[in-house]
Amino acid sequence: MPESGVSRAQQIRTTDTAPQGAPLPGRAATAARRTGLLVTLVLGGLTALPPLSMDMYLPALPAVTDSLHAPAATVQLTLTACLTGMALGQVVVGPMSDRWGRRRPLLLGMAVYVLATALCIFAPSAGLLIAFRLIQGLAGAAGIVIARAVVRDMYDGVAMARFFSTLMLISGVAPVIAPVIGGQVLRLTDWRGIFAVLTGVGLLLTFVVWKWLGETLPPAERHTGGIGDALRTMRGLLADRVFTGYMIAGSLAFAALFAYVSASPFVIQEIYGASPQTFSLLFGINSVGLITVGQINGKLLVGRVSLDKALTFGLVVIVAAATALLLMTSGVFGDVGLVPVAAGLFVLMSAMGLAMPNTNAQALMRTKHAAGSASALLGTSQFLIGAIASPLVGIAGEETAVPMAVVQLVCAVGALACFLGLCRPWQRPSAI
C-alpha cells in the first residue's frame, strides 16, 4: 500500500509540473486526475473532521449544561480541551510524520480518535467529558497536521494555494451541515447521540484512509533524527521571521473565528432568543460565506493577485467587521437585534476565506524541507491561541456579547499588525 501511495503522489506531481504543451498520455492523465480527486476528497475529509467534531456539538452546549448540572463556563471548557488537545497533538504527530511517513501516524491517530469519541457518549460528568474531549483532540490532531503535510508533499507555489482553497470548499461543508445535523440529532435524542454520530464518522474516515490514502513521503526524504533533531528543526522554522509572521497572523485570525464558534451558541440562542434550528441555519449561512470567498480566492484571485494582497484585504475586512460588532453589542446604536449582529458575523466569517488559506500557503511555501514540523507549528499555534480565546468570550457571563466582540477585535488587529510587522510584504515583491 505505501508503494502505491508514492506512485499516486508522483502522478499528481507530474500533472502539476508537466511542461506546457507536453501533456501526459491519455490513460496516464485520466488516472492522475482520478487519483488527484480521490486524494482531494480524503484530505478534505481529514480537514473536515475538526470542525465536524466542534460544530455538530455546538447546538447542544446549553443542553449539556443542564444535563451535567455544570455552569456554562465549565461546559465551554469541553471546547477548550478539544482545541488544546489538537494543538499539543500536532507538535508530536508533525515530527513523527517527517520521520516515519504520513500513513502510519495518521491511522494510529484516527483509531484513538474513534475510541475517545465513543467514550464521550458515556461521560457521567463535565470533568470526564472534558478529559475525553482532550484525548479526542490529541488524536484528531493527526488528521489536521498530516493533511497539510501531504498537500506540501504533492504541490508547490500557486498550485498549493489553489489546493488549500479547494480543501476549504470540501472541509467547509462540515461547518455548514454539522450544526444542522446536531440540531436534528437533538430532536431525536440527547447530546450523547451527537457523539455517537461522530464515532460513526470517525470509523468511516479511518476505513477510507486505510483503503485509499497511500504514503506520500518517500523514505529518502524522511528525517532520521530523534526528538533533538525535531526540536532543532522547529527552532529553525521559528527563527524565520516571515514564516513566524504568517503563523501568528493566521493563528490570531483563527482565534477571532473560534471566538465566534465558542460564543455563538449562547449569543444567538440565549441573548437573542433564537432556537437551535435558527442558530444552525445562521451558522450554516456564515460557513457558506467562508466557502464562497475561499473559492473566489482559489479560482479567481490566485495567479492574478498576489497572495499577500488578498491576505491584506481579508484581514482589513475582519478588523472592520469586528469593530462593527463591538459597536453593536455594546449598545452604541441601541438595541439592534439579531439581524445586524448576524450580518456582521457573516462578513467576519466570509473574510476568513481570504485569511486562512493564504497564511497557510505562504508559510508552507518556505518549508519544503520539513513540511510535517511546519504544519505542526501552524496548527499548534492556531489551536493554542484559539483555546485561550475560547473561555474569554464568556468572562462576563451569558447576558452580554461584548466579550466576544472584544476578543475578535483584539485578535483581528493583532493578526494585521503581525502580518505587516513581521512578513513585510512590500519588501518581497516577487511573492506570488
Side-chain angles (χ1 to χ4, degrees):
M1 188 68 177
E3 292 180 358
S4 65
V6 172
S7 65
R8 289 172 181 169
Q10 290 170 343
Q11 284 178 332
I12 296 170
R13 288 193 189 102
T14 303
T15 61
D16 286 337
T17 58
Q20 191 172 11
L24 291 172
R27 287 185 179 179
T30 301
R33 282 195 297 271
R34 289 176 179 172
T35 300
L37 176 60
L38 182 59
V39 171
T40 300
L41 293 175
V42 174
L43 296 182
L46 291 172
T47 54
L49 191 60
L52 194 65
S53 301
M54 292 288 183
D55 300 341
M56 190 184 297
Y57 174 66
L58 291 179
L61 283 178
V64 176
T65 300
D66 295 336
S67 173
L68 299 181
H69 308 290
T74 300
V75 172
Q76 282 180 324
L77 288 177
T78 62
L79 294 176
T80 303
C82 191
L83 269 180
T84 303
M86 289 179 180
L88 298 178
Q90 291 183 71
V91 176
V92 177
V93 176
M96 283 176 59
S97 73
D98 281 339
R99 183 175 183 183
W100 290 303
R102 314 303 186 200
R103 182 174 164 80
R104 284 185 292 173
L106 177 57
L107 286 172
L108 177 62
M110 291 301 302
V112 177
Y113 171 88
V114 170
L115 177 61
T117 306
L119 289 173
C120 290
I121 301 172
F122 306 102
S125 65
L128 280 175
L129 182 59
I130 290 170
F132 294 150
R133 290 281 279 174
L134 177 63
I135 298 171
Q136 184 190 43
L138 286 167
I144 309 168
V145 66
I146 292 177
R148 273 196 303 260
V150 168
V151 173
R152 189 62 187 93
D153 291 340
M154 298 188 301
Y155 295 98
D156 200 1
V158 170
M160 182 169 61
R162 286 180 174 151
F163 194 91
F164 274 122
S165 292
T166 301
L167 279 187
M168 178 166 287
L169 171 62
I170 299 172
S171 63
V173 173
V176 171
I177 66 173
V180 177
I181 295 174
Q184 297 308 310
V185 170
L186 290 177
R187 285 176 173 264
L188 303 174
T189 182
D190 62 6
W191 60 271
R192 298 177 191 275
I194 292 176
F195 287 108
V197 173
L198 286 172
T199 301
V201 171
L203 281 170
L204 177 61
L205 190 54
T206 302
F207 172 77
V208 169
V209 169
W210 173 79
K211 183 72 173 177
W212 286 296
L213 185 63
E215 182 58 66
T216 60
L217 185 65
E221 297 181 15
R222 297 176 190 177
H223 293 193
T224 57
I227 295 177
D229 181 65
L231 292 176
R232 284 191 293 272
T233 298
M234 288 187 173
R235 185 170 64 244
L237 291 171
L238 292 174
D240 182 345
R241 170 178 53 80
V242 177
F243 172 84
T244 301
Y246 286 120
M247 180 186 72
I248 298 176
S251 299
L252 287 171
F254 180 84
L257 182 151
F258 199 75
Y260 157 75
V261 170
S262 181
S264 59
F266 297 98
V267 171
I268 302 299
Q269 295 179 79
E270 302 295 329
I271 296 177
Y272 291 99
S275 67
Q277 289 70 38
T278 299
F279 163 73
S280 300
L281 176 62
L282 291 176
F283 200 95
I285 290 172
N286 290 341
S287 298
V288 169
L290 187 152
I291 294 169
T292 301
V293 174
Q295 291 313 291
I296 292 172
N297 177 71
K299 304 298 184 183
L300 299 179
L301 299 183
V302 171
R304 296 181 177 89
V305 178
S306 76
L307 299 187
D308 284 332
K309 289 181 179 178
L311 175 57
T312 302
F313 181 76
L315 291 176
V316 169
V317 171
I318 293 171
V319 170
T323 302
L325 284 168
L326 180 58
L327 293 175
M328 287 188 286
T329 56
S330 61
V332 171
F333 303 125
D335 186 6
V336 297
L338 176 60
V339 173
V341 172
L345 292 171
F346 175 80
V347 173
L348 185 145
M349 284 286 287
S350 297
M352 293 292 172
L354 294 175
M356 301 307 298
N358 290 333
T359 51
N360 284 333
Q362 289 286 63
L364 287 172
M365 250 179 258
R366 306 177 65 84
T367 60
K368 176 63 176 176
H369 61 289
S373 296
S375 178
L377 286 174
L378 289 172
T380 298
S381 176
Q382 287 178 2
F383 283 98
L384 278 180
I385 295 177
I388 293 171
S390 174
L392 294 179
V393 299
I395 199 169
E398 303 173 29
E399 305 299 325
T400 175
V402 171
M404 177 192 73
V406 169
V407 170
Q408 288 174 328
L409 182 57
V410 170
C411 290
V413 171
L416 183 60
C418 286
F419 168 61
L420 295 177
L422 294 177
C423 299
R424 302 172 189 172
W426 58 87
Q427 295 181 351
R428 296 178 296 110
S430 60
I432 67 170

